[in-house]
Amino acid sequence: MTGTRIPSPPVPAGLPGLPTTDTGGSPGGSPAVRAADPGRVLGWFRRHRVLLALVLVLAVVAALSVFARPRQDSEPLSPDNAAPDGAMAVAEVLAGQGVKVQHPQDLAEAYAALDANPGATLLFLDPREFLNSEQREELADEAGRVVLVAPSFAQLSDFAPDIRPAGVVPDDDAGQSAEARCSDEDAQAAGTVSAGGQSYRGPVTCFPSPGAEGTDPAGSYAATRGGSAVVLGSPDLIANATVTDEGNAALALRSLGADETLVWYQAGPQDIAAAEQPADPFDYLPPWVYPLGAWLVLVAGLAAFWRGRRLGPLAEEPLPVVVPAAETVEGRARLYRGSNAVSHAAANLRAAAMTRMAAHLRLGPGADADAVTMAAASATVRSYTAVDHLLNQSMPGTSAELVRWTWDLQDLEEEATSL
């Protein structure tokens, strides 16, 4: 057993008074072990328990305010609006009396509700006239009975053509009590209502203004003879703030609760798209726009192809060597000589000499060969015939003749330009 070391038993981790060791040899354990310690997590929760409780309470209140909020809106005369300009009071009372109040959110839902409830009463509210005549006529055909609140002339024409608008109730009479003064049962049950809003005339006209006179006064309530259409001239007859005035509540409840189902429809901007699809803006373009557009597209395509083929602007590169002019002349002469182009070389020499003499003698760029010949003869002691023969008549045919002719031409140019 000599030389054999017996290992000590392992020490359980976490015993008080004994340090723990990690693989790195540092006491206290690694950061990962400390972060996973349940005691440290519980300690953090104890220190922040007040803040966590407040956050939890705020979350619960926010959830309740969002999900437990009663169905309500701010649209005037809406059955879900409890504000003074809403009509929730009338809707709730009707529902309590067994009337099924449906509030469609758009025109399609209104059609569906009327189709599912044949003979139902339709309360139509469209003060901003979002619907067109065709839609209103279709609603009138679907509904068994229609109640209108302060309708316009166009709405009356579609729903109740027998009823006509008669103007606005005078300000002096607004708010006063208006008596029924008709034989309609609903109006008789209400007794009096608060005057105001619009006035109408129809087969049945009730509640004329207190100051109205004549045998056929206009009133705040009008109906057809069979009662298929009823007109309430003022929104105050069903609004929450004024429904309890006079007999407003009785008139509103009897007018709206005559059937088992009431479809409370308020037209909105969302129904405009269902009525009239917006026009295609391309329909307003003139007919020449399309061929012009096709031509522009073709030209743009060709221009893109033309410019796209080039890799960039042309760049000038310097020549590797500078060639003296004398070497260029000598090289061209060797080419003429190698091809035996005597006449071509003579023509070049003649043209160059005449150009220089014309410039020296100030003949101008438009001078012809005869003018240069005469000017050269005048500037020298030679005759016109001799100068003309040298410049225009005699042309060398061989290389030797070209050399002699070149010397004679050079002598003439020196004489003409020496002055």
Side-chain angles (χ1 to χ4, degrees):
M1 299 294 292
T2 304
T4 303
R5 183 177 180 181
I6 301 175
S8 59
V11 179
L15 291 179
L18 294 177
T20 58
T21 59
D22 57 4
T23 56
S26 60
S30 66
V33 175
R34 292 198 303 269
D37 189 359
R40 300 178 66 88
V41 176
L42 292 176
W44 185 87
F45 275 103
R46 291 193 194 97
R47 290 192 302 270
H48 301 86
R49 58 182 178 271
V50 177
L51 180 60
L52 292 175
L54 292 176
V55 172
L56 181 61
V57 170
L58 291 176
V60 172
V61 171
L64 291 177
S65 63
V66 172
F67 298 104
R69 181 186 304 172
R71 186 170 177 265
Q72 192 176 111
D73 57 33
S74 59
E75 186 71 20
L77 300 184
S78 171
D80 300 323
N81 186 0
D85 62 345
M88 179 181 284
V90 174
E92 293 293 333
V93 173
L94 289 173
Q97 293 179 352
V99 179
K100 183 180 178 182
V101 180
Q102 297 189 8
H103 186 207
Q105 300 301 312
D106 54 32
L107 184 60
E109 292 185 9
Y111 285 145
L114 292 174
D115 185 63
N117 300 278
T121 297
L122 170 66
L123 174 58
F124 180 77
L125 297 167
D126 189 12
R128 288 171 285 184
E129 299 194 57
F130 289 116
L131 302 189
N132 57 23
S133 179
E134 182 180 354
Q135 291 173 305
R136 291 192 293 263
E137 291 177 356
E138 188 172 354
L139 282 173
D141 295 338
E142 293 288 337
R145 185 168 171 273
V146 179
V147 178
L148 307 173
V149 178
S152 64
F153 177 79
Q155 294 171 0
L156 285 175
S157 300
D158 297 325
F159 286 104
D162 296 338
I163 301 176
R164 307 178 307 278
V168 182
V169 175
D171 295 337
D172 296 338
D173 298 335
Q176 300 184 24
S177 298
E179 298 180 358
R181 294 169 58 181
C182 66
S183 59
D184 186 80
E185 295 181 358
D186 296 340
Q188 289 289 339
T192 60
V193 298
S194 57
Q198 303 286 333
S199 59
Y200 300 87
R201 287 189 179 93
V204 178
T205 304
C206 305
F207 303 105
S209 302
E213 298 178 357
T215 58
D216 186 22
S220 300
Y221 176 92
T224 58
R225 294 191 183 280
S228 60
V230 175
V231 174
L232 303 179
S234 175
D236 295 341
L237 297 174
I238 62 174
N240 294 330
T242 54
V243 70
T244 57
D245 296 346
E246 303 292 340
N248 295 356
L251 183 62
L253 294 175
R254 291 180 66 92
S255 300
L256 299 177
D259 298 307
E260 295 181 356
T261 304
L262 173 63
V263 179
W264 196 307
Y265 171 58
Q266 296 174 281
Q270 69 278 0
D271 297 325
I272 297 178
E276 300 176 358
Q277 294 294 333
D280 188 357
F282 293 99
D283 295 340
Y284 297 101
L285 297 177
W288 51 265
V289 170
Y290 295 100
L292 178 61
W295 172 253
L296 292 177
V297 170
L298 177 61
V299 171
L302 293 176
F305 177 75
W306 167 57
R307 297 296 298 176
R309 294 183 60 196
R310 295 186 57 179
L311 301 179
L314 297 178
E316 296 183 0
E317 295 184 2
L319 295 175
V321 294
V322 177
V323 179
E327 295 184 9
T328 305
V329 173
E330 184 179 355
R332 179 173 295 183
R334 291 179 183 276
L335 291 175
Y336 286 155
R337 183 171 133 185
S339 60
N340 197 24
V342 176
S343 59
H344 188 75
N348 288 339
L349 293 174
R350 171 179 171 274
M354 294 185 73
T355 300
R356 289 191 294 269
M357 286 189 293
H360 181 79
L361 299 174
R362 299 192 180 107
L363 298 180
D368 55 3
D370 187 62
V372 175
T373 303
M374 293 183 62
S378 300
T380 62
V381 295
R382 303 186 185 192
S383 63
Y384 173 81
T385 303
V387 175
D388 180 64
H389 180 269
L390 177 61
L391 292 179
N392 303 318
Q393 303 300 327
S394 64
M395 296 297 291
T398 62
S399 299
E401 294 177 357
L402 176 63
V403 173
R404 290 192 297 270
W405 180 81
T406 302
W407 286 112
D408 294 340
L409 184 63
Q410 185 176 358
D411 293 340
L412 174 64
E413 181 178 354
E414 289 179 356
E415 292 177 10
T417 58
S418 60
L419 299 179

